[in-house]
Amino acid sequence: MSDLDQSLRNRAYKEVEVHKEVVESDQYRLNYHVMPPVGLLNDPNGFIQFNGVYHLFYQWNPFKTDHGAKFWGHYSSTDLVKWKHHDIALTPSDWFDKNGCYSGSAIEHDQKLYVFYTGNVKDKQNNRETYQVMAVSEDGYTFEKKGVVIELPEGYTAHFRDPKVWKHDDTFYLIIGAQSKDLTGKAVLFRSNNLVEWEHLGAIAGAHMGPLGDFGYMWECPDLFELGGQDVMIFSPQGLEPSGIHYQNLYQAGYVLGKLDYNQVQFDHGSFVELDRGFEFYAPQTTIDENGRRILIGWMGMPEEREDAHPTIEHKWVHAMTIPRELKLVDGKLYQRPVEELKRLRNEEVAYSEVELASEPKSFDGIDGTSLEIYFEPLEEMTELVTIRFRENGSISYDPATKQLKLDRVSFVDGQTVEERFCDLEQVKNLRIFLDTSSIELFVNDGEEVFTARIYPDHDQQNITFAAEKNVRVLLKAWKL
């Protein structure tokens, strides 16, 4: 470890210690989500199960609550429920990553953990260089950087980052998010026999390629994997214009389904589908665990949003991860479901087997608080508007007349504006709602649609109410988490 590396680590640890009390005193610290111990958290990195332990690395700026030279922070878990924070995995301490160890991924090979990330370098005029870097660990906790394995190919700008690596048959593949010289987003493929020497195969998907047309000026965080007999590519395009109820956030995260021909290096795929209909969801990354599950975790935040508007910055931290979600391919659509292990969080179950909702909002004993899971199931097809209002800060509603489900919240920027997000939905079969002190994650119809958002109600605002324009019979369950 170099002197600079040790110095940066010491400074980061000092920030954690100095601000520990003010961070932990924040009423908006979450109870069951991954958060930074101080400073800013963004993209999940290197998500993998290695030697029976789930490792989740993350983009971390420990020195302030906005973006800067990123470290790789590190959490681990044996059950995807309880997470332990560890020493820093990677520091921006070498010539090829001195302005940030940017996002990347991990793979196990020969009983070692290999991580690949983007080294960010800027000169005094803010000109950028990017390098794809490899580091290796024997235990999953301490890493040795091996240096640059991929330099910028011809045809792309320096916005070339976020390598995701996997093995297909006996060959390693790596996909990178990129911007081509014509300022359009691309997903670029490489292959290798040894993880060190990489062959550039070219862009396999992008704006003005295939069915997507004009589709953004930069693609970030691509992730390609097989699920249910199809190849799924998740990515985060930047530069999409809003279209009706779609693409309402500053940037998007979604997927395409298709088939990658590894021999012809051709990816035939369909249209883009948003993964999350809420406000804060970006840069998701997946892994496959020892049980064969494809598990996703996303960043519960958004690039270039107003970090200074989040009330948590007064307490020296900002942003969090989503809960882990298992992916399933159902009738040609990607479903997201909370992993089964999250049921271990449940306490104090209450159940109302058949209740009748009416126009007067109604609350129920045990269905309130700041951290809970709620299950809602109509006992008959809903023909009237139904609204669930949570903590005086927002609501979930379904209107059968328009066949749209809506999540709204009070803006944390001005504390007054009501912001809305929608999805089209033929009917509501069930809702599963995860509330935490400052977040909501809504899973609709066993994960057919998902909404993720940060919310900031006052701590004493704990009431949750249910109403319908005309009588509707429903099943309700809830658990404290």
Side-chain angles (χ1 to χ4, degrees), residues 32-317:
Y32 55 92
H33 288 81
V34 168
M35 303 168 289
V38 73
L40 177 141
L41 167 152
N42 60 300
D43 305 0
N45 295 160
F47 184 30
I48 194 171
Q49 189 179 23
F50 177 65
N51 292 337
V53 176
Y54 295 96
H55 293 266
L56 178 65
F57 305 90
Y58 65 94
Q59 291 286 279
W60 184 29
N61 182 358
F63 304 122
K64 53 186 179 179
T65 53
D66 57 16
H67 296 275
K70 300 293 177 60
F71 294 66
W72 270 35
H74 185 191
Y75 277 94
S76 75
S77 176
T78 58
D79 60 5
L80 294 171
V81 178
K82 296 180 179 178
W83 294 89
K84 180 180 179 181
H85 199 254
H86 297 283
D87 289 344
I88 292 164
L90 298 172
T91 62
S93 56
D94 288 274
W95 67 265
F96 46 75
D97 62 12
K98 67 185 182 73
N99 295 106
C101 298
Y102 277 17
S103 291
S105 60
I107 191 171
E108 181 179 356
H109 178 58
D110 289 341
Q111 299 181 320
K112 297 179 182 179
L113 187 61
Y114 289 73
V115 300
F116 294 83
Y117 68 96
T118 299
N120 185 48
V121 177
K122 292 182 179 180
D123 62 20
K124 293 181 179 179
Q125 287 73 43
N126 215 34
N127 296 310
R128 184 193 301 267
E129 296 176 1
T130 52
Y131 303 93
Q132 311 313 313
V133 183
M134 182 177 75
V136 182
S137 173
E138 295 189 1
D139 60 6
Y141 300 95
T142 57
F143 289 84
E144 179 183 356
K145 294 179 186 177
K146 297 298 185 179
V148 176
V149 292
I150 298 175
E151 296 196 17
L152 182 66
E154 289 292 326
Y156 306 99
T157 74
H159 292 288
F160 193 85
R161 52 182 173 264
D162 312 332
K164 180 66 192 291
V165 62
W166 73 98
K167 192 174 186 180
H168 176 75
D169 294 335
D170 295 323
T171 304
F172 299 102
Y173 290 86
L174 182 150
I175 194 166
I176 289 180
Q179 181 185 69
S180 58
K181 285 290 182 66
D182 64 359
L183 304 185
T184 59
K186 296 288 186 289
V188 183
L189 191 65
F190 292 77
R191 71 181 167 204
S192 172
N193 293 320
N194 56 15
L195 291 174
V196 177
E197 299 166 311
W198 291 90
E199 178 187 3
H200 175 217
L201 301 177
I204 59 167
H208 304 299
M209 296 179 63
L212 295 183
D214 185 8
F215 211 74
Y217 57 77
M218 174 64 190
W219 287 13
E220 292 195 309
C221 303
D223 187 349
L224 200 152
F225 52 89
E226 190 275 334
L227 186 68
Q230 293 202 61
D231 290 317
V232 181
M233 189 175 76
I234 291 174
F235 62 103
S236 297
Q238 298 182 334
L240 305 187
E241 293 295 326
S243 177
I245 64 173
H246 300 286
Y247 313 152
Q248 290 297 311
N249 292 331
L250 180 60
Y251 299 129
Q252 322 309 319
Y255 67 95
V256 295
L257 300 178
K259 199 66 179 176
L260 175 60
D261 186 327
Y262 284 87
N263 294 320
Q264 299 297 320
V265 193
Q266 182 174 336
F267 183 39
D268 294 322
H269 62 81
S271 57
F272 179 81
V273 181
E274 290 175 274
L275 267 169
D276 196 287
R277 308 296 185 174
F279 296 89
E280 280 84 30
F281 182 86
Y282 195 74
Q285 187 170 104
T286 75
T287 192
I288 189 165
D289 73 357
E290 294 169 357
N291 297 316
R293 297 181 299 177
R294 178 62 60 173
I295 301 173
L296 174 148
I297 291 180
W299 171 32
M300 201 151 48
M302 188 64 56
E304 299 175 34
E305 68 171 356
R306 287 191 54 188
E307 269 93 5
D308 63 336
H310 286 269
T312 64
I313 66 165
E314 298 177 11
H315 290 262
K316 306 296 183 181
W317 73 281

Side-chain angles (χ1 to χ4, degrees), residues 343-356:
K343 291 180 179 178
R344 299 176 190 174
L345 290 169
R346 292 173 173 177
N347 289 289
E348 303 177 36
E349 177 179 345
V350 295
Y352 297 88
S353 58
E354 186 173 338
V355 296
E356 194 169 87

Side-chain angles (χ1 to χ4, degrees), residues 351-357 362 364 379 472-476:
Y352 297 88
S353 58
E354 186 173 338
V355 296
E356 194 169 87
L357 306 182
K362 186 175 183 179
F364 297 87
L379 297 177
V472 174
R473 293 185 308 117
V474 301
L475 163 71
L476 290 175

